[in-house]
C-alpha cells in the first residue's frame, strides 16, 4: 500500500463530552487506485482526511494509530515536516472551493505560489507549469485566466482551479473531500472524468470522499462505509453495490430513488444518527437496524473478514470488538 | 380531449433583474433569470422542475408565491389571473400557494418554539379561532411524524430532517392547494431524504395537494413527479410525462443532463455525453438558443434565433429546431400510441 491508515483514532473534546470522530479506522490506498469513503454527515469522513493531512487542530487530536506513507509514520510529525508533504506528495481538494482559494489573489499567482513552495522550479517554469495545469483541467484560454480572481469564475471553474493547484506538484496521493457536491451534474461529470484520467496517466492514488453513491459506483475501485466514526463495511465496488452485507449499507442502497425503475415508496432507514457524545453501548446502528438482536444492544461487533471483504455486524460473526 | 383540470398556468412568464445601471438610471446589464416560460400544472399532480444551478427554478417558485413580481407574463391560478390583481387582492391567494425551502436551518426562526412556528400562519391568516389552534398544531405535528411533546422545543434542538418536517407542517397549516417544494431534500443525508420524500408523497394524497417540485437531483425528481420540465439559462427546454422524458429525451441538453447522472446500477454502464465548458451567464444572454455554446448538435442557425417550446405530440414539448428527424420519429410513435 502506498498510504496506509492503521487503527486511527481522532477525538474532539467538546462541552458535552468527547466525540470519537474517528474510531479505530484502518484502510489503505494503492498507486493508481480510487478508494471511496461514504457515510452519513458526521460519520468521520472529513476528520479522517484531515488527520492524514495533519490538519487536526484544537479541540481535536489524533489520539492513536498510525498513518504510514512510504514506510514513514505521519502521526506525530511536526507542522514543518508535514508542510513538505502536504500539497507536494499528498494533496487535498476541499469541499467548498470558494473558501479554500484566497479571494484577494489572482488564481495564477495562487497556483504558482503552491508550485514554488513545493518544487525547485524557477518563476518562469512555475508559470508555465501553472498554465499547463489549468489547460489540463479544461480551463479555456488558460494564459488569460491566470489573471482572474476567484470570484470571476464559476463554481465549476473554481473547483477545477483547486484541482489544478492540488495536482501542480504531481502528488502521489490526492484526497478529494466531496469534490463535486457543490457542482452541477454536467460539470461533475467533467471533474470525475478528469480525476479518472489523471489517476490513469500519472498513477495517482485517490481517496474520494462523497455521500453520492452514484459517484462511488461510477468511479471507485474499493469502498469504505463509515457510520458513527467506525468502518462498518469495506469491499470492492462491485460487491458493495451488487451484494451489500451490512444492514446500513443495504438500507442506504435501498433508500435512493433509482433512475432505472419506478418504486411507489422508498425504503426508509428509520430514526436518526445517535448523538456522537452519547453513543450507545453496543452496535451504533442498533436503534435503526431492522435486524437488531439482543446482543447488538450490549456489545460492539468487531470488523471481521468475510470472503475477502470486511463487515462489522453480528449477522456475520459473533466476534466482539475488544477495545471499546 | 384532456380531462385533467389545470390548477396553475404560467404564460410567457419572465423575470429580469437589472444588475448594473448607468449614471442616468438606464439598465446596462440585464440578467434574464426566467425568460418567456410557459407551462401548466394539473390538479393533484407533482410537476418537477430540473436544471443546473442558476437556471431560474427558484425564481419561478418565488414568483408563484409572490416573493418576486414578474417582469412580464401571466400566472393563472384556478382560473384567476393573479398577475392582473392589485397586491392587496393578490395576497389573498398567498395561503393557497405555499413554499417549502431548501435549507431547513435558515428558514425557521431560531427564537420561536416549533409549536409557535407552526401556529403563526394560522393566527396571521385567522384560519381558526384561537382556542382551536393548539389542537390543529398537534394534528399537524402528528401528520409530519413529530411528537406533540416536541412543540415547546426550539429549532436548534432538531436534526435537519426534523426541521424540514417542521417547515412542511408550517406550510400545511394554512390549508394550501399548491406547494412549491424548492429543493426540500437536497441538504439532507440519503437515509433522511427517503423519509422526507415518503412523507411528501403521503401528504399529497392525504391533503389533496398539488406540487411544483424543484430539484437538481434528477433521480429524486423522477421518483416524486408525474411530469417534468427541464430548464436551461432561464428557458424551458423540454416538458413531458416523466417516463417519456427520462426514456426518450429529445432536446440535446436533456440528453446530456440525463447521461451525466452517476448511476448506482454498476451492471449497466451507460454512454456519457461530456459537455464542453460551463453554463454561460444569464446576463445579457445571446439571442439564439441558450444552449448553443455547449450543444453537441448545434449548427450556425442555432445562434440566430431562439427555438420555441412546441408540443410534438401527446404533451411532449421540446424547444429545439434541429432535432427534427428524431422528433418526427417520436411523434409518429406517440400518435400511434394515442389512437
Ligand atoms: N434578487 C436577485 N437579484 C439579482 N439576480 C438574481 C436575484 N435572484 C436570482 N437572481 C439570478 O437569477 C438567476 C436564476 O436564479 P435562481 O435562484 O432562480 O436559480 P435556481 O435555478 O434556483 O438555481 P439553484 O439550483 O442554484 O438554486 C441566477 O443567475 C441568479 O443569480
Ligand atoms: N472542529 C470540531 N470540533 C468539534 N467536533 C468536531 C469538529 N470537527 C468535526 N467534529 C465532529 O467529528 C465528527 C465527524 O465529523 P466529520 O468528519 O466532519 O464528518 P463527515 O463524515 O460529515 O465529514 C462529527 O461528530 C463532528 O461533529
Ligand atoms: S450488529 Fe446487530 S444492530 Fe448492528 S448492524 Fe448488525 S444486526 Fe444490526
Ligand atoms: S436549437 Fe441548436 S443549440 Fe439549441 S438545443 Fe437544438 S441543436 Fe442544440
Ligand atoms: Mg465532511
Ligand atoms: Mg434555487
Amino acid at each position: 500500500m502506498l498510504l496506509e491508515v492503521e487503527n486511527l483514532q481522532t477525538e474532539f473534546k467538546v462541552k458535552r463530552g468527547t466525540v470519537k470522530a474517528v474510531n479505530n479506522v484502518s484502510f489503505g490506498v494503492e498507486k493508481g487506485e480510487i478508494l471511496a469513503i461514504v457515510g452519513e454527515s458526521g460519520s468521520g469522513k472529513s476528520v479522517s482526511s484531515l488527520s492524514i493531512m495533519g490538519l487536526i487542530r484544537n479541540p481535536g487530536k489524533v489520539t492513536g494509530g498510525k498513518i504510514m506513507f512510504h514506510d514513514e509514520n505521519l502521526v506525530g510529525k511536526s507542522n514543518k515536516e508535514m508542510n513538505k508533504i502536504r500539497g507536494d506528495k499528498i494533496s487535498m481538494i476541499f469541499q467548498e472551493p470558494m473558501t479554500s482559494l484566497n479571494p484577494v489573489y489572482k488564481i495564477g499567482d495562487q497556483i504558482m505560489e503552491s508550485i514554488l513552495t513545493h518544487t525547485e522550479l524557477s518563476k518562469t517554469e512555475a508559470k508555465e507549469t501553472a498554465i499547463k495545469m489549468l489547460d489540463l483541467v479544461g480551463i479555456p484560454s488558460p494564459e488569460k485566466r491566470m489573471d482572474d480572481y476567484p470570484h470571476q469564475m464559476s463554481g465549476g471553474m473554481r473547483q477545477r482551479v483547486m484541482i489544478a493547484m492540488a495536482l501542480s506538484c504531481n502528488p502521489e496521493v490526492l484526497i478529494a473531500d466531496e469534490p463535486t457536491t457543490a457542482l452541477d451534474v454536467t460539470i461533475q461529470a467533467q471533474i470525475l472524468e478528469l480525476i479518472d484520467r489523471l489517476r490513469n496517466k500519472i498513477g495517482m492514488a485517490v481517496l474520494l470522499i462523497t455521500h453520492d453513491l452514484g459517484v462511488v459506483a461510477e468511479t471507485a475501485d474499493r469502498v469504505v462505509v463509515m457510520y458513527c466514526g467506525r468502518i462498518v463495511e469495506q469491499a470492492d465496488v462491485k460487491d458493495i453495490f451488487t451484494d451489500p452485507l451490512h444492514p446500513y449499507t443495504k438500507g442506504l442502497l435501498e433508500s435512493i430513488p433509482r433512475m432505472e425503475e419506478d418504486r411507489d415508496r422508498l425504503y426508509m432507514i428509520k430514526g436518526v444518527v445517535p448523538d456522537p457524545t452519547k453513543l450507545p453501548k453496543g452496535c451504533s446502528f442498533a436503534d435503526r437496524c431492522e435486524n437488531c438482536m439482543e446482543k447488538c444492544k450490549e456489545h460492539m461487533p468487531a470488523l471481521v473478514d468475510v470472503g475477502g471483504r470486511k463487515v462489522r455486524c453480528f449477522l456475520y460473526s459473533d466476534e466482539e470488538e475488544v477495545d471499546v | 380531449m384532456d380531462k385533467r383540470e389545470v390548477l396553475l398556468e404560467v404564460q410567457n412568464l419572465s423575470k429580469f433583474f437589472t444588475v448594473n445601471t448607468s449614471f442616468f438610471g438606464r439598465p446596462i446589464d440585464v440578467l434574464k433569470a426566467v425568460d418567456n416560460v410557459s407551462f401548466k400544472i394539473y390538479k393533484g399532480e407533482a410537476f418537477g422542475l430540473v436544471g443546473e444551478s442558476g437556471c431560474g427554478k427558484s425564481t419561478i417558485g418565488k414568483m408563484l408565491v409572490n416573493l418576486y413580481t414578474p417582469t412580464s407574463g401571466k400566472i393563472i391560478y384556478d382560473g384567476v389571473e393573479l398577475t392582473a390583481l392589485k397586491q392587496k387582492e393578490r395576497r389573498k391567494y398567498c395561503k393557497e400557494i405555499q413554499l417549502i425551502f431548501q435549507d431547513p436551518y435558515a428558514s425557521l426562526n431560531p427564537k420561536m418554539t416549533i409549536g409557535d412556528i407552526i401556529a403563526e400562519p394560522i393566527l396571521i391568516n385567522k384560519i381558526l379561532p384561537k382556542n382551536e389552534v393548539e389542537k390543529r398544531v398537534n394534528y399537524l405535528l402528528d401528520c409530519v411524524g413529530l411528537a406533540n411533546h416536541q412543540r415547546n422545543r426550539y429549532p436548534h434542538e432538531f436534526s435537519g430532517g426534523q426541521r424540514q418536517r417542521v417547515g412542511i407542517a408550517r406550510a400545511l397549516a394554512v390549508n394550501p392547494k399548491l406547494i412549491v417544494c424548492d429543493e426540500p431534500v437536497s441538504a439532507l443525508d440519503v437515509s433522511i431524504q427517503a423519509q422526507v420524500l415518503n412523507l411528501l408523497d403521503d401528504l399529497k394524497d392525504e391533503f389533496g395537494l398539488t406540487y411544483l417540485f424543484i430539484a437538481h437531483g434528477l433521480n429524486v425528481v423522477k421518483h416524486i413527479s408525474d411530469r417534468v420540465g427541464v430548464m436551461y439559462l432561464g428557458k424551458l427546454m423540454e416538458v413531458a410525462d416523466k417516463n417519456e422524458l427520462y426514456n426518450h429525451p429529445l432536446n440535446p441538453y436533456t440528453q446530456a443532463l440525463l447521461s451525466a447522472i452517476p448511476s448506482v446500477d454498476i451492471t449497466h454502464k451507460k454512454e456519457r455525453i461530456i459537455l464542453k465548458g460551463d453554463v454561460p451567464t444569464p446576463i445579457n444572454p445571446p439571442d439564439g438558443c441558450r444552449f448553443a455554446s455547449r450543444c453537441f448538435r448545434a449548427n450556425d442557425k442555432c445562434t440566430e434565433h431562439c427555438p420555441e417550446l412546441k408540443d410534438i405530440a401527446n404533451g411532449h414539448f421540446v424547444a429545439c429546431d434541429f432535432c427534427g428527424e428524431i422528433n418526427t420519429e417520436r411523434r409518429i410513435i406517440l400518435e400511434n400510441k394515442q389512437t
Side-chain angles (χ1 to χ4, degrees), chain A residues 40-41 154 156-157 160 184-190 193 211 213-215 217-218 237-238 241-242 252 255-272 288, chain B residues 51-53 159 189-192 194-195 197-198 201-202 218-220 222-223 242-243 246 253 256-258 260-267 269-270 272 274-279 294:
Chain A
E40 215 108 339
S41 63
S154 70
M157 282 169 112
R160 273 178 273 168
D184 285 313
V185 278
T186 62
I187 308 293
Q188 166 171 287
Q190 293 173 353
E193 198 240 4
H211 66 264
L213 292 164
V215 169
E218 296 211 350
V237 71
K238 190 171 143 281
F241 285 93
T242 54
L252 213 52
S255 62
I256 16 177
R258 302 278 174 124
M259 295 293 285
E260 300 80 16
E261 58 191 280
D262 275 327
R263 291 181 182 172
D264 248 5
R265 281 183 77 72
L266 295 171
Y267 173 81
M268 287 190 285
I269 301 179
K270 64 184 180 204
V272 294
R288 304 180 75 186
Chain B
E52 296 180 83
S53 186
S159 68
D189 267 321
V190 180
S191 79
I192 307 301
Q195 295 174 356
L197 286 174
N198 280 347
D201 233 359
D202 294 342
L218 281 97
N219 57 340
V220 168
K222 172 154 190 245
H223 175 76
K242 70 165 166 196
N243 287 319
Y246 280 72
Y253 175 64
L257 191 66
L258 288 172
I261 307 162
S263 162
V264 291
D265 185 359
I266 60 167
T267 45
K269 281 265 180 244
K270 58 182 171 189
R272 171 155 299 164
I274 301 264
L275 291 177
K276 299 167 293 194
D278 280 300
V279 184
R294 297 171 83 200

Side-chain angles (χ1 to χ4, degrees), chain A residues 175-189:
Chain A
I175 302 178
D177 190 354
E178 309 264 5
T180 57
T181 303
L183 305 177
D184 285 313
V185 278
T186 62
I187 308 293
Q188 166 171 287

Side-chain angles (χ1 to χ4, degrees), chain A residues 262-264, chain B residues 4-5 7 40-50 177-179 197 200-201 204-205 208-214 218-230 238-247 314-317:
Chain A
D262 275 327
R263 291 181 182 172
D264 248 5
Chain B
R4 293 174 294 181
E5 242 181 291
L7 180 64
K40 290 175 185 164
I41 302 181
Y42 298 101
K43 247 176 213 164
E45 78 168 344
F47 182 76
L49 206 50
V50 298
K177 296 210 175 69
L178 176 67
I179 297 193
L197 286 174
L200 285 170
D201 233 359
K204 184 162 160 273
D205 297 340
L209 300 168
T210 302
Y211 288 154
L212 172 64
F213 194 95
I214 298 172
L218 281 97
N219 57 340
V220 168
V221 170
K222 172 154 190 245
H223 175 76
I224 202 116
S225 311
D226 301 297
R227 287 188 310 131
V228 176
V230 180
E238 187 158 5
V239 178
D241 283 347
K242 70 165 166 196
N243 287 319
E244 171 71 13
L245 187 99
Y246 280 72
N247 297 332
N314 234 1
H316 191 151
F317 293 80

Side-chain angles (χ1 to χ4, degrees), chain B residues 20-290:
Chain B
N20 212 342
T21 359
S22 76
F23 183 69
F24 303 102
R26 240 179 325 122
I28 300 174
D29 290 322
V30 179
L31 187 154
K32 299 190 173 177
V34 174
D35 191 0
N36 201 5
V37 163
S38 306
F39 60 87
K40 290 175 185 164
I41 302 181
Y42 298 101
K43 247 176 213 164
E45 78 168 344
F47 182 76
L49 206 50
V50 298
E52 296 180 83
S53 186
C55 69
K57 307 179 296 291
S58 299
T59 304
I60 290 184
K62 285 178 182 161
M63 287 192 275
L64 298 185
V65 299
N66 203 26
L67 284 173
Y68 283 160
T69 311
T71 305
S72 61
K74 291 180 183 171
I75 299 172
I76 302 159
Y77 170 79
D78 220 0
V80 182
E81 193 188 327
L82 300 183
T83 31
L85 299 177
K86 294 235 162 58
Q87 252 323 304
K88 201 173 148 211
E89 289 296 307
R90 170 75 172 90
R91 260 182 238 124
K92 285 189 188 150
Y93 287 89
C94 284
K95 63 179 196 316
E96 306 255 324
I97 310 176
Q98 285 288 309
L99 178 68
I100 299 173
F101 295 90
Q102 165 167 7
D103 187 353
Y105 298 88
S107 55
L108 303 175
N109 184 340
K111 296 199 180 97
M112 283 167 78
T113 65
I114 65 154
D116 290 342
I117 287 173
I118 298 167
E120 189 183 49
I122 306 179
L123 293 168
I124 291 176
N125 290 288
K126 302 195 181 70
I127 307 248
L128 288 172
K130 268 207 171 110
N131 59 353
E132 286 174 35
V133 173
E134 177 168 344
K135 210 173 116 210
R136 175 80 179 160
V137 170
N138 285 342
Y139 169 72
L140 288 166
L141 283 171
D142 195 44
C143 289
V144 298
L146 293 170
N148 281 344
H149 65 83
Q150 293 176 311
R151 56 177 299 156
N152 296 323
R153 300 222 206 139
Y154 291 87
H156 72 90
E157 297 174 67
F158 291 87
S159 68
Q162 286 174 317
R163 283 185 240 208
Q164 200 53 290
R165 288 172 195 268
V166 175
I168 294 169
R170 183 182 155 95
L172 288 175
V174 293
N175 302 317
K177 296 210 175 69
L178 176 67
I179 297 193
V180 177
C181 310
D182 193 354
E183 308 258 9
V185 298
S186 315
L188 306 175
D189 267 321
V190 180
S191 79
I192 307 301
Q193 275 189 12
Q195 295 174 356
V196 174
L197 286 174
N198 280 347
L199 174 68
L200 285 170
D201 233 359
D202 294 342
L203 294 173
K204 184 162 160 273
D205 297 340
E206 221 171 295
F207 288 77
L209 300 168
T210 302
Y211 288 154
L212 172 64
F213 194 95
I214 298 172
H216 62 260
L218 281 97
N219 57 340
V220 168
V221 170
K222 172 154 190 245
H223 175 76
I224 202 116
S225 311
D226 301 297
R227 287 188 310 131
V228 176
V230 180
M231 285 188 77
Y232 188 81
L233 264 193
K235 290 278 186 191
L236 208 45
M237 305 300 270
E238 187 158 5
V239 178
D241 283 347
K242 70 165 166 196
N243 287 319
E244 171 71 13
L245 187 99
Y246 280 72
N247 297 332
H248 306 282
L250 296 177
N251 184 284
Y253 175 64
T254 314
Q255 292 169 356
L257 191 66
L258 288 172
S259 84
I261 307 162
S263 162
V264 291
D265 185 359
I266 60 167
T267 45
H268 302 97
K269 281 265 180 244
K270 58 182 171 189
E271 271 305 303
R272 171 155 299 164
I273 305 165
I274 301 264
L275 291 177
K276 299 167 293 194
D278 280 300
V279 184
T281 123
I283 299 171
N284 309 325
D287 290 336
C289 176
R290 297 292 190 272

Side-chain angles (χ1 to χ4, degrees), chain A residues 114-147:
Chain A
S114 151
I115 297 170
L116 291 170
T117 24
H118 295 293
T119 63
E120 309 284 304
L121 294 186
S122 71
K123 234 179 151 180
T124 344
E125 288 169 320
K127 185 165 182 189
E128 275 166 21
T129 312
I131 294 172
K132 211 174 76 205
M133 276 346 266
L134 286 178
D135 190 41
L136 184 71
V137 297
I139 303 260
S141 30
E143 307 90 55
K144 274 195 223 137
R145 287 297 187 164
M146 290 281 283
D147 292 330

